[in-house]
Amino acid sequence: MEAGRIHCDLLVIGAGMAGASAALFAAKRGLKTVLVGSTAGLQFAGGMLDLLGVQAPNTANIPALRPWEAMAALIQEQPLHPYARIPLQEIRRAFVEFTELLASAGLSYYCEPENNLQIITSLGTRKTTYLVPKSMQSNAAALAQKPPCLLVDFEGLKGFSARQISATLGKHWPGLRHASISLNGAVHKSYPQPLAWELENQAVRAVLVKALRKQLQGEEVIGLPAVLGLASAGQVQAELEKELGLKVFEIPMLPPSMPGLRLKETMEKLFVNLGIQTLLQRQVQKVARSEGDGFTAYIGPDEPLTMVRARGILLASGRFFGKGLHATRKGILETIFNLPVYQPENRALWHHEDLLHSQGHPINRAGLETDENFRPLNSDGNAAFPNLFAAGTILAHNDWMHLKCGSGLSLATAYAAVNAFVQTRSNAFG
Amino acid sequence: MVLTLSFYISLALFFLGLLVRMIGWLRVEIGTETGRIGLFTAVFSSLKAVLLTLLSPRIFKIMAVLITEIGLQLPLLKNGFLRWLAHMCMFYGFLLLVLMHALDETVTAALFQDYAATLNPFLFLRNLFGAMVLLGMALACLNRIGRGRKFKATNTNDLVLMILLGLILFSGFLLESVKIFSEPAFDRMAADYMGAEDEDDLEALKVYWSREFHVVFAQPPGSDDLETGRNLHMENCAACHSRPEAAFLSLPLSDRLRPLALWLNRSQADLWLWYFHFGVCFLAMILLPFTKFFHFISVPLSLMLRAADPPAPAPMPHKNPARLALEMDACTHCGVCSEHCSVAPIRRIIPNDHILPSEKLTGVKKLAHGKRLDPDVLESLSQGSFICTECYRCTQRCPSGLSLQTLWQLSKQTLAAKDFPEPHGWVRQYAADQWADRLEQSPADHPLCEDFARHRHVSESPETFSACIQCSICTNVCPVVSAGNGLTPPDMTPQQVMNLLRLNLKDLALGSRMVWDCVTCYLCQEHCPQGIRVTDILYDLRNIATRRLQQVRQLGPETPKTALPVASPPAAVRKNAL
Ligand SMILES: Cc1cc2nc3c(=O)[nH]c(=O)nc-3n(C[C@H](O)[C@H](O)[C@H](O)COP(=O)(O)OP(=O)(O)OC[C@H]3O[C@@H](n4cnc5c(N)ncnc54)[C@H](O)[C@@H]3O)c2cc1C
Ligand code: SF4
Ligand code: SF4
Ligand code: SF4
């Protein structure tokens, strides 16, 4: 091996939900995997993973309660959507495998396999999603069954008001009460992260339990902002429930929230556990073809660049926010390989005039088109390289914000692309 | 008679000066922990300490220091052979000149029965010692010129010492040279020691002396009876006069001056030079306590006091103001500390001599002696002082044994008490918006000094912060935000500071607690999803604030809002920005 070079089977470009989960899937399949990119995006999902949140693409305001049924409708209406490329069983397996991975690193998630869940948010709205942190299981149950419930906020904590939530939800929820508690003397934190760290401390939790007991008037369940610990969140919640003798649930705050942070940190822990070599917060500057059909990627931004030789690459560099796509006057470009990007004919067609158009904006479906093995196409319509794959939001024909399918799309396509890479390799060797 | 009288007057003045200087030590105040010491207590306690030390085994340590540090000057050797050589030459040359030559009647004559100033080896030795001092001075000058390229290495004190020393040496050698060819001197000696001999003998002696002893006569001697001259010389003069060749510096000088000899002899130059030479010597003696000559006394004292300190393992640095005053007087401005100072390189960016310990000491000394200093000087002294990291290197290196680090710690206290604390201190005088008002009020945007303007500021270019999406991750990870909650919450968070930059309200951020309390842990920068250099920006703001707020710091405390020129951001915008 040459000095200063890293050799691997699969180089994953992008450490958002798609890239990060792809790296985990690949490492689990025994591939020597290198992951490059920023993990910050993991935190923004807020810890809740959507599969498909809307009933049908053109009725985006109707939440889908039975996502697999909605999926069938979607595939029918948008046959080019990446979901249409993957057997539904595979999508289910992607979620199961991912959930197991998280559990193996100590972070429990919850879902009802056939249904979407609806969660109370800090805005007092309901969020429809598929897979949620265990700490929100009772949140969904409470919203569904509406038992006598106490919503509590912390004095001084910014961005969370129990009164505001109950003002919105209370109309249809007679047993809903709200209270404000102060942990003064123990702690006083204005921001969720410092507060979450404090609650890792047993003594602070004792103060919290005492303060909560004072407020209870026979409620069966308590909703708190999602600040119940970080590294040992599960234990914190379990202990509160045991001490109080009732259910306690978390209400997600605006991203980047603590459940998002837990997810990010758990995945970073998994990178280590599975032996993935990471080049986090770094960027691929350019990629060259090297002999034997491999790739050599040059990783910066700072000199000297790190060289990574890979047998295959999985491109999960996201869209504009992730910087996988770049909008110029002339059109939208893919930033690393300069692959052809499916996009509206011209800039004028990027957006509908109606900002909240029920179909979503055409620009949000721009991206890479692929073959059935998730290999991006060249301008001739063939796979650009036999060993270059793509996954996540960079794929064309998906408007994940509109359809509320961001994380699921990333997970499922990552899963499918990794499997396709494994398949082509065994074909080559077989 | 006149000579003796002036000697004793000078000696009295010298002692008076010494006394004044030492009483000055008691009036020194430095730091806010210790006060002044009364005269009685000081005298009593020093006497007690001296006695106790003399009776304790520490006396051996002091003797050892006397030999190694003062006799052999090993601390200087540690700082370079040439420096050591130069100082050894000057020190021993001058010391021996004083003992053997200046005090010849008391010292040399007592030791050597047949001592005469013009007899070998004394004649030769005088030249040798003088030459040593000259060599030492030359080396020292070269050294200073070399260092002078890096910073101002020489101050008035150094110059005064060099000039006085130079004058003494120069007049001494000149006197000897002129005396060699002096006819009046010959006449006086002949009259005193030959008695009233006849004219022929005198002529013969003159011939001999003009040939062999380089005397120049107005009337060339009428005889050429060298033999008689030699005999007469052996009889009358040889007991006190060696041949002038031993004066290996004075004789060549004398030969150079020969063309002027007749005129010089006529105008009695030897007499005038004699007065001059003694005059400067007395002057030097009188001035000794107030010039750098004083280090003859203060350095050995300082070194011996240090040796008398309670022994290791844990020597507590003393904070005795009187002793610190003595130590400050022992600074020879040799510049060794500045050569080794950890923060000296900063002076290349910030052109403030007070960053260098050797220069800072001058200011600190004035401060400690209660001298009035201009606000500008205090400002610059404060800047230099607070850049110091108290790393101890200067203390370790100082050949005169100054407790420099202690001095810096205490002088910082004094400066802070005088309302010249470090920027971290004075920036808290006003709240962030008050500072912003002041900046608005200040008549013009003061140009930043050149070196500062040259520097590229990360906070100046929008590319550094415009990508901020106000996600609050930086705020959430910040330990200062977390620690401050409830107790003294920072007035804004890193995220809000970034927002102020995005809204072009930078002035509002400069005096904020967040900018100044940031511990540069880099958590925010490492966690920012947008790769914004949050910490670097905060640090840069601090640098800018140090300069800009300094400029408006002296504006009166009142900031009448109505009188303000209507400037860019209305209050409502500012409020929303937070
Ligand atoms: C504001 C916000 C809200 C969200 N809300 C939800 C939600 O409600 N529900 C939900 O399920 N999900 C949500 N998400 C998460 C969303 O699902 C994920 O962002 C998306 O699925 C991840 O897509 P991705 O991994 O393809 O791309 P991204 O997350 O955009 O990741 C792109 C990655 O590529 C890397 N990259 C780009 N160029 C290079 C290069 N040259 N070299 C190396 N690396 C490169 C970037 O560093 C980054 O790591 C939200 C995200 C955001 C930002
Ligand atoms: S203590 Fe201060 S002055 Fe002395 S060397 Fe260290 S930084 Fe320089
Ligand atoms: S973390 Fe970065 S993007 Fe987020 S608010 Fe701070 S500076 Fe802005
Ligand atoms: S570098 Fe400063 S602002 Fe950033 S997290 Fe650390 S203390 Fe806070």
Side-chain angles (χ1 to χ4, degrees):
Chain A
M1 192 184 284
E2 291 166 71
R5 287 196 186 186
I6 301 171
H7 289 244
C8 66
D9 297 320
L10 183 64
L11 169 66
V12 180
I13 303 178
M17 187 62 79
S21 60
L24 297 181
F25 293 140
K28 237 192 120 206
R29 280 154 185 69
L31 300 180
K32 188 168 185 300
T33 310
V34 173
L35 176 65
V36 52
S38 155
T39 49
L42 296 174
Q43 196 171 343
F44 283 106
M48 292 164 291
L49 308 186
D50 301 348
L51 171 59
L52 179 60
V54 301
Q55 189 85 66
N58 51 5
T59 53
N61 47 355
I62 306 177
L65 296 180
R66 310 226 2 120
W68 303 106
E69 288 166 17
M71 186 79 87
L74 170 71
I75 290 170
Q76 190 138 51
E77 199 164 322
Q78 294 187 1
L80 292 175
H81 192 283
Y83 272 155
R85 289 262 158 81
I86 315 170
L88 296 189
Q89 279 312 317
E90 292 287 293
I91 301 179
R92 284 179 191 264
R93 279 199 209 113
F95 269 90
V96 171
E97 191 170 325
F98 185 68
T99 316
E100 283 170 0
L101 277 168
L102 292 181
S104 76
L107 187 64
S108 304
Y109 265 77
Y110 170 78
C111 77
E112 292 175 12
E114 298 308 319
N115 297 321
N116 268 338
L117 300 167
Q118 289 198 307
I119 299 289
I120 307 169
T121 72
S122 59
L123 301 173
T125 53
R126 309 156 175 250
K127 167 153 174 83
T128 305
T129 185
Y130 184 68
L131 184 64
V132 298
K134 193 89 185 348
S135 64
M136 295 178 200
Q137 179 180 352
S138 308
N139 179 324
L143 186 60
Q145 293 150 21
K146 303 204 172 51
C149 172
L150 179 67
L151 299 182
V152 175
D153 63 26
F154 294 88
E155 267 174 29
L157 179 67
K158 292 184 200 279
F160 189 92
S161 156
R163 181 148 61 89
Q164 193 189 328
I165 303 170
S166 61
T168 323
L169 293 177
K171 280 170 240 156
H172 310 289
W173 192 342
L176 189 64
R177 272 195 338 109
H178 65 87
S180 239
I181 59 169
S182 156
L183 296 183
N184 263 356
V187 280
H188 178 101
K189 300 285 172 190
S190 312
Y191 293 92
Q193 195 164 335
L195 184 55
W197 279 122
E198 286 296 337
L199 287 172
E200 296 262 313
N201 175 346
Q202 158 76 52
V204 176
R205 287 203 296 272
V207 178
L208 173 62
V209 167
K210 236 167 110 188
L212 287 175
R213 275 210 195 104
K214 256 200 226 152
Q215 299 291 343
L216 282 171
Q217 294 177 6
E219 281 85 4
E220 294 166 16
V221 32
I222 294 183
L224 288 163
V227 294
L228 302 181
L230 278 170
S232 42
Q235 279 156 264
V236 173
Q237 190 198 11
E239 187 194 296
L240 288 182
E241 294 193 333
K242 192 168 144 251
E243 291 287 320
L244 293 164
L246 42 71
K247 291 277 174 211
V248 170
F249 64 82
E250 284 194 322
I251 300 171
M253 299 173 67
L254 282 184
S257 65
M258 293 308 102
L261 186 59
R262 290 175 204 143
L263 178 66
K264 171 177 172 254
E265 298 202 332
T266 305
M267 287 181 81
E268 286 174 352
K269 192 154 114 192
L270 281 167
F271 300 153
V272 179
N273 292 355
L274 295 184
I276 296 166
Q277 180 158 5
T278 52
L279 296 163
L280 299 186
Q281 328 303 345
R282 311 265 318 259
Q283 280 164 15
V284 174
Q285 302 293 337
K286 63 171 191 210
V287 178
R289 207 79 174 119
S290 53
E291 70 276 17
D293 279 356
F295 291 104
T296 305
Y298 298 83
I299 320 261
D302 301 324
E303 304 276 351
L305 301 179
T306 308
M307 267 195 269
V308 178
R309 282 205 166 193
R311 293 179 205 277
I313 286 184
L314 195 152
L315 185 62
S317 49
R319 281 190 182 157
F320 306 104
F321 182 73
K323 298 195 174 67
L325 299 182
H326 180 62
T328 68
R329 294 223 144 266
K330 292 203 192 109
I332 301 166
L333 302 176
E334 187 278 319
T335 52
I336 297 176
F337 294 88
N338 198 17
L339 293 163
V341 176
Y342 164 81
Q343 54 192 290
E345 292 274 309
N346 60 55
R347 269 184 96 105
L349 301 176
W350 281 11
H351 297 278
H352 287 300
E353 273 174 23
D354 177 1
L355 197 65
L356 300 171
H357 193 277
S358 65
Q359 291 280 357
H361 299 286
I363 178 77
N364 293 336
R365 272 187 253 166
L368 304 180
E369 299 194 289
T370 67
D371 67 4
E372 67 283 3
N373 284 322
F374 289 93
R375 290 183 294 200
L377 305 179
N378 59 20
S379 42
D380 303 335
N382 301 317
F385 302 98
N387 48 354
L388 174 66
F389 300 80
T393 53
I394 195 172
L395 298 175
H397 308 296
N398 86 79
D399 185 349
W400 64 270
M401 285 205 237
H402 183 65
L403 300 174
K404 303 198 169 37
C405 66
S407 296
L409 174 102
S410 292
L411 276 181
T413 53
Y415 187 80
V418 167
N419 285 340
F421 175 65
V422 172
Q423 193 63 44
T424 51
R425 287 225 328 141
S426 56
N427 287 349
F429 287 112
Chain B
M1 181 60 204
V2 179
L3 181 70
T4 325
L5 195 64
S6 28
F7 173 75
Y8 281 113
I9 291 176
S10 308
L11 197 66
L13 285 174
F14 160 74
F15 277 114
L16 196 67
L18 207 58
L19 201 66
V20 168
R21 199 79 201 250
M22 286 175 146
I23 290 176
W25 293 346
L26 300 176
R27 310 188 55 78
V28 153
E29 261 182 304
I30 182 160
T32 49
E33 296 164 20
T34 44
R36 283 186 194 166
I37 306 179
L39 183 61
F40 177 75
T41 339
V43 173
F44 181 74
S45 60
S46 12
L47 280 180
K48 191 172 123 192
V50 167
L51 255 169
L52 281 180
T53 312
L54 289 180
L55 294 176
S56 80
R58 269 180 267 153
I59 185 71
F60 296 111
K61 217 175 132 202
I62 295 177
M63 309 259 266
V65 162
L66 217 53
I67 295 168
T68 56
E69 300 197 0
I70 297 160
L72 297 175
Q73 307 190 345
L74 293 187
L76 271 179
L77 188 58
K78 203 165 71 179
N79 289 306
F81 176 73
L82 272 185
R83 192 193 281 270
W84 173 79
L85 185 69
H87 196 261
M88 284 293 267
C89 282
M90 283 193 282
F91 178 72
Y92 280 107
F94 196 74
L95 189 71
L96 290 169
L97 274 180
V98 169
L99 292 178
M100 182 214 89
H101 169 60
L103 302 175
D104 54 359
E105 279 168 29
T106 3
V107 180
T108 329
L111 289 175
F112 304 94
Q113 242 73 68
D114 48 356
Y115 168 77
T118 42
L119 204 59
N120 268 334
F122 309 107
L123 179 60
F124 167 74
L125 286 177
R126 196 163 58 239
N127 270 264
L128 180 68
F129 298 154
M132 279 166 65
V133 179
L134 284 181
L135 176 70
M137 283 173 70
L139 285 174
C141 285
L142 280 181
N143 178 28
R144 278 188 184 272
I145 291 169
R147 267 190 300 146
R149 278 194 214 109
K150 281 185 249 157
F151 58 91
K152 191 171 144 255
T154 307
N155 60 20
T156 358
N157 249 336
D158 303 323
L159 272 181
V160 169
L161 176 79
M162 282 298 193
I163 290 172
L164 277 177
L165 206 57
L167 282 179
I168 292 175
L169 265 273
F170 183 66
S171 60
F173 275 116
L174 208 58
L175 176 58
E176 198 168 53
S177 315
V178 169
K179 263 191 152 174
I180 287 176
F181 55 59
S182 169
E183 188 178 356
F186 177 89
D187 289 344
R188 279 198 303 275
M189 298 300 278
D192 286 355
Y193 293 97
M194 262 207 357
E197 300 288 330
D198 65 60
E199 277 298 307
D200 288 348
D201 282 355
L202 200 58
E203 286 301 305
L205 191 62
K206 277 185 176 174
V207 171
Y208 184 75
W209 270 67
S210 72
R211 294 258 177 93
E212 304 290 326
F213 280 79
H214 301 247
V215 181
V216 177
F217 293 98
Q219 297 281 315
S223 141
D224 55 359
D225 189 355
L226 212 53
E227 200 45 48
T228 317
R230 186 194 318 278
N231 289 339
L232 282 166
H233 168 77
M234 295 309 288
E235 202 175 303
N236 297 301
C237 320
C240 288
H241 285 278
S242 299
R243 296 179 64 84
E245 277 71 20
F248 61 91
L249 281 185
S250 301
L251 185 63
L253 181 62
S254 174
D255 288 345
R256 285 286 137 74
L257 292 173
R258 248 179 122 78
L260 301 175
L262 286 178
W263 176 74
L264 286 169
N265 284 348
R266 223 178 305 125
S267 47
Q268 294 210 309
D270 64 329
L271 220 59
W272 295 120
L273 276 171
W274 189 85
Y275 279 124
F276 183 77
H277 184 60
F278 275 83
V280 231
C281 289
F282 290 158
L283 184 69
M285 182 154 84
I286 297 169
L287 288 182
L288 189 144
F290 299 102
T291 56
K292 202 175 151 181
F293 276 118
F294 190 56
H295 82 273
F296 277 148
I297 296 170
S298 56
V299 172
L301 267 181
S302 158
L303 290 173
M304 288 193 299
L305 276 174
R306 194 174 61 169
D309 272 340
M316 274 295 290
H318 77 90
K319 287 187 180 171
N320 179 338
R323 189 168 147 197
L324 288 170
L326 153 69
E327 290 181 5
M328 285 193 275
D329 282 348
C331 167
T332 59
H333 198 243
C334 67
V336 166
C337 48
S338 295
E339 279 168 24
H340 293 277
C341 172
S342 322
V343 300
I346 293 179
R347 197 183 146 282
R348 278 185 242 147
I349 307 296
I350 303 176
N352 178 352
D353 280 339
H354 285 132
I355 293 170
L356 305 171
S358 59
E359 312 310 302
K360 181 167 59 175
L361 189 75
T362 328
V364 167
K365 201 162 148 181
K366 285 187 188 144
L367 197 68
H369 279 277
K371 298 240 170 72
R372 253 194 57 80
L373 293 174
D374 281 348
D376 285 355
V377 178
L378 283 168
E379 196 81 70
S380 122
L381 190 59
S382 168
Q383 184 187 45
S385 295
F386 284 103
I387 285 175
C388 161
T389 58
E390 297 171 17
C391 71
Y392 199 64
R393 283 179 77 165
C394 48
T395 309
Q396 272 182 324
R397 282 288 178 164
C398 175
S400 302
L402 271 71
S403 317
L404 289 169
Q405 188 206 37
T406 313
L407 275 170
W408 310 145
Q409 287 165 346
L410 296 176
S411 60
K412 283 185 201 178
Q413 290 175 1
T414 307
L415 282 165
K418 280 193 181 305
D419 202 25
F420 285 92
E422 61 194 313
H424 279 276
W426 57 254
V427 82
R428 270 157 235 271
Q429 268 178 314
Y430 305 109
D433 54 340
Q434 288 174 314
W435 280 117
D437 286 341
R438 280 161 178 269
L439 285 173
E440 242 174 28
Q441 214 189 14
S442 78
D445 217 357
H446 295 257
L448 297 171
C449 94
E450 200 201 325
D451 65 292
F452 195 61
R454 231 187 304 133
H455 182 75
R456 204 177 130 70
H457 289 281
V458 280
S459 69
E460 296 285 310
S461 56
E463 306 98 75
T464 15
F465 50 79
S466 59
C468 171
I469 51 169
Q470 286 294 298
C471 68
S472 83
I473 286 183
C474 50
T475 298
N476 265 290
V477 294
C478 175
V480 171
V481 171
S482 175
N485 272 312
L487 301 165
T488 49
D491 43 3
M492 45 185 100
T493 65
Q495 168 198 2
Q496 287 169 329
V497 174
M498 296 308 119
N499 204 25
L500 287 179
L501 294 185
R502 296 193 324 157
L503 297 173
N504 203 12
L505 297 176
K506 184 154 94 180
D507 285 2
L508 201 47
L510 292 181
S512 83
R513 294 238 201 96
M514 189 61 240
V515 166
W516 286 89
D517 286 350
C518 165
V519 295
T520 58
C521 68
Y522 277 90
L523 273 172
C524 51
Q525 187 156 328
E526 278 170 13
H527 280 79
C528 172
Q530 292 295 85
I532 290 174
R533 293 163 64 188
V534 188
T535 314
D536 293 343
I537 290 174
L538 292 181
Y539 205 83
D540 187 46
L541 289 178
R542 235 192 265 182
N543 273 326
I544 293 174
T546 310
R547 298 286 176 131
R548 292 202 53 214
L549 302 190
Q550 188 102 66
Q551 290 163 345
V552 295
R553 199 186 148 202
Q554 307 301 344
L555 289 180
E558 300 307 321
T559 51
K561 295 251 179 203
T562 44
L564 284 183
V566 186
S568 37
V573 176
R574 285 197 206 163
K575 222 171 138 201
N576 286 339
L578 295 183

